[in-house]
Each structure stands twice: as C-alpha cells, then as structure tokens.
C-alpha cells in the first residue's frame, strides 16, 4: 500500500514538473535581448483607454468591449477591454487584448491567480517573472500574459496575447526555441512598453535603424523583400505613368510615378515650395490626393527633407469622426538615372515617418534595409 502511494506521488510530481519549469539561461538571454531594444522605441500616447499608455509606433488600440464574450476574470470583472493590433504585417493574425480593472486594489491580481486562471491550459512554462508569464499548451499554442498595477490611477492593466502556428506543426530548434516563442517575447516587449516611463521622441529625428530595431526578424525580412520588389517594378514602368502595386499586408500599395528629369513635380522638394504649391502639383498627378483635396481637405507639410515629404491631409470641417489622412512621398532614382515619386498612405503620423524612412533607405544602397 505504501509502495503504491509512493508510486502515485511520483507520478503526480512528474506531471507537475512537466507542466511548470523554471526558465533556462537561453530563455533569459532571449528575454534580456528583447527588452533592451525598447528604450529607443518611438512611442505615442493613447487616450482611448483614459490612461496615458505608451503605444509602440506601429500599434493601434481599439475599444472592443462588445466583441468579446469571455473576459479575463480575477476577483472582479474587467471594466474595459481593448484590442491592441499592429499596423505592420501580422503573421499570426492577432495582436493582443488589454484589460483594465479600474478602482482596484494592488492585490486584485497576482501571479498565483494568473496561474490558477490558466492552469487547465498550461503544459510548459517557458518564462515567468513577478508580472509576466509565457507558456504553451498541448497544441503548442503560446500565450503571453503581463499584468501591472498603476498605483496613481488605481488601475490594473493586463495584456494577453496568443500565438498560433498557421501550419500543422511548429518548428523548434535544438535549444527549444520556435518562431512562436520569439513572437511571444516580442509581445512581452510591447506589454511592458505600455506602462514604462519614457521621454517622447521627435519623429523626424528617428532613423530607419531605430524603426527597424523595433521589428521582429520576420517583419524586417518582409520589408527587405518589399524593397527588392519596388526596385524591380520601378525598372519596368513607362514615363509619366503611375503604378500602384500591392505588397500584401505589409503595405497595401506603393504608388509610383516615373517623372522626367525637369518635371515640375520635382519642385515639391524645394524649400521654397509652399503647401499650396505642393497641393496643386500633387493633386494633378496622384489621384488619391486629388480625391481628398476636392473634398475640402487642407494639405499640411509635417516634414521636408532633401528627397522626402511627410504630409497630413486635414479635413477643413472637423467633426468627431474626422481623421487626418497621412502621405509619405519620396524621390527614388534607379541605376539608369530615371526618377520616380514613391508614395504611401499610412495609418497615422508615426507610420508616415516609418514609411518615409523605409522608402528613403531603398535609395541609399550603403545601408541595410
């Protein structure tokens, strides 16, 4: 009987050991490398939550209270639920959820409660600290949870993301790492950024290297591939014609106009060109800009560099639903000496600067895209 009891105890301990293990050096190293990139992140303040959270430059936050039936329950039901989603290519089709528990006490959420909430799903804990948890379940679905108490506001913020393989299997290297683990670590960076204190950086001073360092490896490779495609397309279009080639989820399209050497369009980059003159020249050549300006949008010049413009199209009659339309326009010269205007309509101002730097780096062959 005693022997049987000891056998049962051994089996239980073995199962528990498989379910929860301490992070190994390789995971800690990966985590440290990931988090150390973020001090230079371009961030924007997001007021949709009622809190001043640092949202990474390529993320948007949306109130989705009505869209989710299940909530992350602790001692109390979250008062608000938001969806945080990247404007860049998203390989797993999911960003994450942000839960706010307002008017709460510091003990409302704890790691013990988080572990209990997910206990039926956890097969293996990859990383764990006082406020963070990364684990995968029996289907190799990775989940990342981060929670933090904002004492000044008496609000608990909880970030949850789930990364699922698009195929039937998950590739794992000899050290036990997988692309899904890398994405989970990246999600943890984003989560910690929400609550970190950091100075605001002027967007026009940010280099492509800084933008690039805040992307995942797959995202960086995707933009490198797009740069090659843009160069190939530019070599094939005829003079004074426009091309709007799609690039999937990375960029909806990059507009491209081949121009003559002394085209009046090139004067938009002159420091003497006014916003009115820029509007007049571009409205004739870029159909989308013409569409907005005829619908009473005012063109604002946000930034001008030697061969790059960042514009905002501002609705003249502002309302609660009015949004600025942003445009990044760059001059590109191919190896034949032919000149092109490249333009993108990004989601917001931060992304406008991102694409302006991206399009500029295509021209500068001395730098890595």
């Amino acid at each position: 009987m005693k022997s049987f009891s000891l056998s049962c105890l051994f089996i239980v301990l073995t199962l528990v050991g498989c379910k929860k293990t301490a992070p190994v050096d390789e995971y800690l190293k990966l985590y440290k490398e990931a988090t150390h990139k973020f001090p230079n992140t371009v961030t924007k303040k997001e007021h949709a939550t009622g809190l001043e959270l640092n949202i990474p430059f390529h993320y948007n936050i949306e109130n989705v209270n009505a869209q989710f039936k299940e909530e992350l329950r602790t001692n109390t039901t979250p008062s608000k639920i938001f969806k945080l989603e990247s404007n860049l290519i998203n390989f797993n089709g999911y960003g994450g959820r942000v839960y706010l528990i307002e008017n709460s006490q510091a003990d409302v959420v704890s790691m013990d409660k988080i572990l209990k909430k997910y206990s039926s799903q956890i097969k293996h804990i990859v990383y764990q600290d006082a406020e963070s948890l990364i684990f995968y379940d029996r289907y190799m679905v990775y989940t990342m949870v981060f929670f933090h108490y904002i004492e000044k506001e008496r609000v608990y913020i909880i970030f949850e993301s789930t990364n699922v393989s698009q195929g039937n299997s998950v590739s794992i290297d000899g050290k036990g790492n997988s692309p899904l683990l890398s994405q989970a670590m990246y999600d943890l960076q984003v989560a910690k950024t929400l609550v970190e204190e950091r100075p605001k950086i002027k967007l026009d001073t940010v280099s492509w290297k800084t933008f690039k360092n805040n992307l995942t490896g797959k995202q960086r490779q995707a933009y490198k591939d797009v740069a090659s495609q843009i160069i190939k397309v530019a070599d094939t279009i005829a003079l004074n014609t426009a091309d709007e080639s799609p690039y999937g989820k990375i960029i909806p399209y990059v507009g491209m106009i081949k121009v003559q050497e002394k085209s009046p369009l090139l004067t938009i980059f002159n420091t003497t060109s006014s916003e009115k003159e820029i509007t007049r020249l571009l409205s004739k050549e870029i159909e989308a800009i013409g569409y907005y300006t005829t619908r009473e949008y005012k063109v604002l010049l946000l930034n001008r560099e030697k061969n790059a413009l960042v514009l905002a199209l501002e609705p003249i009659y502002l309302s609660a639903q009015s949004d600025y339309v942003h445009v990044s326009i760059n001059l590109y010269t191919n190896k034949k000496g032919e000149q092109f205007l490249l333009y993108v309509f990004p989601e917001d101002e931060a992304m406008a600067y991102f694409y302006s730097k991206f399009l500029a780096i295509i021209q500068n062959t001395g730098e890595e895209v």
Side-chain angles (χ1 to χ4, degrees):
M1 185 70 178
K2 183 177 180 181
S3 175
F4 177 76
S5 299
L6 288 174
S7 299
C8 290
L9 177 61
F10 176 77
I11 292 172
V12 170
L13 290 174
T14 303
L15 291 173
V16 171
C18 291
K19 188 174 183 180
K20 300 179 181 180
T21 59
V24 295
D25 290 343
E26 290 299 328
Y27 295 146
L28 287 173
K29 181 181 176 183
L30 178 62
Y31 171 73
K32 288 176 181 177
E33 288 176 350
T35 53
H36 285 173
K37 290 194 298 187
F38 266 84
N40 293 322
T41 301
V42 181
T43 60
K44 53 188 176 182
K45 294 293 186 179
E46 179 59 65
H47 296 276
T49 61
L51 297 173
E52 288 197 355
L53 301 176
N54 285 311
I55 308 298
F57 72 93
H58 55 296
Y59 275 78
N60 284 324
I61 195 163
E62 175 190 0
N63 190 327
V64 290
N65 271 345
Q67 296 182 27
F68 291 112
K69 294 180 180 178
E70 284 192 30
E71 297 174 342
L72 185 67
R73 297 184 181 277
T74 54
N75 277 1
T76 183
T77 300
S79 47
K80 292 181 181 178
I81 307 175
F82 299 88
K83 185 176 182 181
L84 193 65
E85 191 168 41
S86 177
N87 290 323
L88 303 177
I89 183 169
N90 198 333
F91 289 90
N92 61 356
Y94 186 73
R97 299 182 201 175
V98 178
Y99 302 84
L100 296 184
I101 303 176
E102 298 178 301
N103 302 316
S104 61
Q105 302 299 318
D107 62 349
V108 166
V109 183
S110 66
M111 180 54 70
D112 286 342
K113 291 175 182 177
I114 293 293
L115 288 169
K116 184 177 180 181
K117 195 270 180 189
Y118 291 98
S119 61
S120 63
Q121 301 175 42
I122 297 173
K123 178 182 179 182
H124 180 81
I125 293 177
V126 175
Y127 179 81
Q128 181 181 336
D129 62 30
E131 297 182 325
S132 314
L133 177 68
I134 298 177
F135 67 87
Y136 60 78
D137 63 17
R138 61 179 179 148
Y139 302 107
M140 293 303 294
V141 174
Y142 278 75
T143 297
M144 189 287 298
V145 185
F146 170 79
F147 60 94
H148 182 81
Y149 183 60
I150 305 175
E151 189 171 359
K152 180 182 176 181
E153 307 281 349
R154 289 188 61 208
V155 170
Y156 246 111
I157 178 170
I158 305 173
F159 182 100
E160 177 196 49
S161 71
T162 305
N163 296 290
V164 185
S165 174
Q166 293 180 337
N168 295 322
S169 61
V170 178
S171 59
I172 300 177
D173 64 22
K175 296 179 180 179
N177 297 329
S178 79
L180 298 185
L181 171 59
S182 298
Q183 182 63 48
M185 288 291 186
Y186 187 77
D187 290 345
L188 182 54
Q189 296 176 53
V190 173
K192 287 181 177 288
T193 301
L194 297 178
V195 297
E196 285 181 355
E197 291 288 336
R198 62 181 68 230
K200 186 176 181 180
I201 301 173
K202 290 184 66 177
L203 289 165
D204 59 338
T205 66
V206 181
S207 66
W208 169 248
K209 184 178 179 180
T210 298
F211 279 124
K212 184 178 72 171
N213 283 346
N214 286 280
L215 306 180
T216 66
K218 282 190 174 183
Q219 288 168 340
R220 289 195 294 271
Q221 184 58 49
Y223 279 96
K224 190 173 182 178
D225 294 342
V226 166
S228 300
Q229 293 176 45
I230 290 172
I231 292 170
K232 288 180 181 178
V233 171
D235 289 338
T236 62
I237 67 173
L239 188 64
N240 294 327
T241 58
D243 177 87
E244 293 184 353
S245 296
Y247 296 97
K249 292 182 180 179
I250 308 175
I251 308 177
Y253 68 81
V254 175
M256 191 179 303
I257 300 174
K258 189 173 184 178
V259 296
Q260 293 177 326
E261 186 177 349
K262 296 183 179 181
S263 170
L265 264 177
L266 298 179
T267 63
I268 63 174
F269 299 107
N270 295 346
T271 55
T272 55
S273 295
S274 64
E275 291 174 336
K276 186 175 182 180
E277 182 67 9
I278 292 172
T279 304
R280 185 184 67 81
L281 290 167
L282 292 178
S283 295
K284 288 183 177 180
E285 299 295 336
I286 301 179
E287 185 178 345
I289 291 181
Y291 169 81
Y292 286 114
T293 52
T294 57
R295 291 171 60 87
E296 299 183 313
Y297 275 73
K298 179 183 178 182
V299 175
L300 304 177
L301 177 61
L302 300 183
N303 190 56
R304 173 163 32 205
E305 297 182 19
K306 183 180 178 181
N307 293 319
L309 298 177
V310 177
L311 307 176
L313 307 183
E314 177 190 29
I316 293 176
Y317 302 105
L318 291 170
S319 68
Q321 289 77 37
S322 295
D323 286 319
Y324 284 75
V325 178
H326 293 86
V327 193
S328 302
I329 304 174
N330 289 60
L331 179 64
Y332 165 70
T333 305
N334 66 8
K335 292 180 179 180
K336 302 174 187 176
E338 299 169 323
Q339 294 182 306
F340 306 81
L341 288 188
L342 307 179
Y343 57 91
V344 181
F345 288 85
E347 291 79 2
D348 54 33
E349 184 178 347
M351 289 300 295
Y353 281 93
F354 169 83
Y355 284 123
S356 181
K357 298 296 183 180
F358 168 67
L359 294 176
I361 210 69
I362 297 173
Q363 179 67 66
N364 188 350
T365 53
E367 285 194 58
E368 179 86 10
V369 174

